[in-house]
Amino acid sequence: MKHLFSAVLILLLAAGALLAQGPGGGGMQVTGNTLMVTTPKGLFVLRNGVLGKFDPATLKSVMTLELFGPLPAAPAAGDRDARQAYSTEVQKRMAAPILLVKDNALLIVIGDGLARIDQDTLKSDALTLNSPNAPAPTGQFRQEGAPGYLLLGNTLYLMRGTEILSIDVANMKILARGPLPKELQPLQFNFGGGFGGGGNNNRNNGGGGGGNRNGGGNQ
């Protein structure tokens, strides 16, 4: 069983590395997370940063909203900078989202943004979730998992990345934010010292347990 788990883990890591290469890999089709909710106003579907509204009886498309705007056309082969920029645009749309119903609105969190969208018109208000003290962007999108969330009245609690936030969704403003203790931060794979090796990587120690490695990993 241990060997089977290791084999599966290796396959998952390999698949993740392949996806991380971005578009252009032999016509590979990329499909992000898909979420659906139904309300008295219709069937709403979110995929790849696009919100669609359908008639639930006929499944006829009523309208769509591109949260990030239209996806730029794929650049020609050979232009590395343009292809990197295009890959970043694709990965933004593939970020793991959350989709919530709040009164006559839909709340969508995807990447670094929160949108409150009217169910009738799909008109939206947006809020940037990035901390003002966050490091400057490096030009490469960083993929993260879907945030943890709890909606109580007009307050949305989000646990994302290395911080936790509370947001007033009625007025679309951040009420408070704070860093997570390292024990609650996302886990990271660290293969630098191998599996089960001692802290000094000294073979004469007979593969002692664990050394000084701490769990939780700082971002």
Side-chain angles (χ1 to χ4, degrees):
M1 181 64 71
K2 179 178 179 181
H3 296 298
L4 176 61
F5 175 79
S6 298
V8 171
L9 176 60
I10 291 172
L11 288 174
L12 289 173
L13 291 173
L18 178 61
L19 288 174
Q21 294 174 5
M28 178 178 62
Q29 184 178 8
V30 179
T31 302
N33 292 282
T34 301
L35 298 176
M36 294 189 287
V37 297
T38 58
T39 76
K41 301 297 179 70
L43 169 66
F44 297 91
V45 178
L46 178 65
R47 171 182 279 182
N48 292 335
V50 179
L51 178 69
K53 180 178 180 179
F54 291 83
D55 182 305
T58 65
L59 296 185
K60 179 180 179 180
S61 176
V62 178
M63 62 182 78
T64 59
L65 171 66
E66 295 178 294
L67 296 171
F68 298 99
L71 179 67
D79 189 337
R80 181 174 181 179
D81 291 339
R83 291 179 68 82
Q84 179 61 54
Y86 176 74
S87 177
T88 298
E89 288 295 321
V90 171
Q91 290 181 66
K92 281 197 305 187
R93 291 158 173 79
M94 290 177 61
I98 63 174
L99 173 61
L100 304 173
V101 177
K102 172 59 177 170
D103 302 327
N104 192 48
L106 300 173
L107 301 176
I108 295 176
V109 178
I110 180 170
D112 294 322
L114 164 67
R116 184 184 62 193
I117 300 168
D118 185 277
Q119 294 186 33
D120 294 306
T121 64
L122 296 194
K123 291 183 178 179
S124 66
D125 297 316
L127 176 66
T128 298
L129 301 177
N130 275 343
S131 169
N133 299 320
T138 61
Q140 185 172 4
F141 183 79
R142 180 180 179 182
Q143 194 72 273
E144 293 185 356
Y149 63 90
L150 178 65
L151 181 61
L152 292 177
N154 287 324
T155 302
L156 175 64
Y157 297 94
L158 287 179
M159 197 166 98
R160 57 189 298 270
T162 60
E163 64 177 356
I164 187 167
L165 303 88
S166 60
I167 303 165
D168 178 353
V169 296
N171 297 295
M172 293 292 281
K173 66 178 183 180
I174 295 175
L175 300 174
R177 71 193 317 152
L180 293 172
K182 67 177 183 179
E183 293 84 0
L184 287 175
Q185 293 183 12
L187 292 175
Q188 296 180 352
F189 287 106
N190 182 359
F191 299 115
F195 290 104
N200 297 324
N201 286 332
N202 188 338
R203 295 183 180 180
N204 293 328
N205 289 338
N212 295 324
R213 296 190 183 97
N214 295 322
N218 291 330
Q219 294 289 319

